[in-house]
Amino acid sequence: MADQLEASVTLPSDPVSVAAARRYAAQVLSDWGLPEDADTADTVRLVVSELATNSVQHTFGQSPTFTVDLRLEREEWLRVGVTDSHPRWPRRLPAAVQQDNGRGMVIIRWLAAEAGGRLSVSPTEDGGKTVWLALPWPPMG
């Protein structure tokens, strides 16, 4: 296998794109040999859903698209990223505000920790950001 496999898709910043992003990620993982019922596949589908939803909801129409990137690095790390062009980075909301929304990043941080992975945010050249989740590969479950 190559040192790195990469796949990405750019979708309109619209709520219907969240399901498309989730399906795309699931298909890529399947193509890379990850069983659909593996815990890591579930984790990635949930992470992509949460990050894509955040991108659609919190860019306030200022990012017309978002991009989902998947990278398998040396069969050691799976990196999942969602990029948008809005400059505001995700932030943790106070618990009182998290009643109905704002839990996405909390869920993603918990999933990252549970899977032995890590979460990071990096700036893009156009002033936006990519939220990355790195997970160990091969997955244990």
Side-chain angles (χ1 to χ4, degrees), residues 73 77-80 108 112-113 115-120 132-136:
E73 299 171 348
W77 288 96
L78 173 65
R79 291 175 50 86
V80 180
I108 293 166
R118 58 185 181 267
L119 183 69
S120 62
W132 289 102
L133 176 68
L135 298 169

Side-chain angles (χ1 to χ4, degrees), residues 105-129:
M105 292 306 292
V106 172
I107 292 168
I108 293 166
R109 280 188 183 91
W110 183 85
L111 288 168
E114 190 73 9
R118 58 185 181 267
L119 183 69
S120 62
V121 182
S122 57
T124 61
E125 290 181 10
D126 67 358
K129 80 278 186 189

